[in-house]
Amino acid sequence: MTGTMSIPKEQDFLDQFGEAPEVLDEPWIQRTQIESENGTLELSYDAIQRSVQFVWRQADDVLWYFVRECATALRIRAENQETHLVAEFESEELSGALDVKVYPRISIKDSSLRS
């Protein structure tokens, strides 16, 4: 699969998290940091290389580190007083989704199945 991954609009980040992602070395590489009840979640993504990275920290401790390529979409989903970041992935071998609940507390659901 080729092309860029779809990403939320800047306004979607502003509406849900209060700030837009910062642009890194290239305009298609962006990063945001979100404070939650049980830690800080850092998300960075590269829309051209189709990769996402999450780092969940509590103080100086890294609780979870995740990086994956072959992302097709990154979405923000808000429902039932919860806000989620959902990354979808697809390769020749596997497809799946990573659902990271950000508010009110960070929690993670990751699924990856053979295509």
Side-chain angles (χ1 to χ4, degrees), residues 44-112:
S44 55
Y45 54 92
D46 182 331
I48 301 295
Q49 294 296 317
R50 299 177 38 229
S51 65
V52 297
Q53 176 180 305
F54 286 91
V55 182
W56 175 15
R57 292 185 175 88
Q58 284 182 343
D60 292 333
D61 297 326
V62 173
L63 302 178
W64 177 63
Y65 175 84
F66 175 93
V67 64
R68 188 175 291 164
E69 294 181 329
C70 299
T72 57
L74 176 65
R75 296 182 290 110
I76 299 171
R77 187 179 81 233
E79 61 187 21
N80 301 324
Q81 299 180 332
E82 296 179 350
T83 305
H84 298 247
L85 287 163
V86 179
E88 298 171 357
F89 302 92
E90 187 174 329
S91 69
E92 290 182 19
E93 300 85 27
L94 299 171
S95 62
L98 172 68
D99 184 333
V100 180
K101 183 172 69 171
V102 181
Y103 296 132
R105 297 175 56 81
I106 298 169
S107 67
I108 303 152
K109 292 180 184 174
D110 183 15
S111 64
S112 189

Side-chain angles (χ1 to χ4, degrees), residues 13-48:
F13 279 97
L14 287 167
D15 291 346
Q16 294 300 319
F17 306 114
E19 64 181 68
E22 66 177 306
V23 175
L24 298 181
D25 296 335
E26 302 292 341
W28 55 86
I29 302 173
Q30 298 183 27
R31 176 178 56 211
T32 190
Q33 194 165 294
I34 304 161
E35 298 294 326
S36 192
E37 284 182 7
N38 60 337
T40 302
L41 184 70
E42 181 181 297
L43 162 68
S44 55
Y45 54 92
D46 182 331
I48 301 295

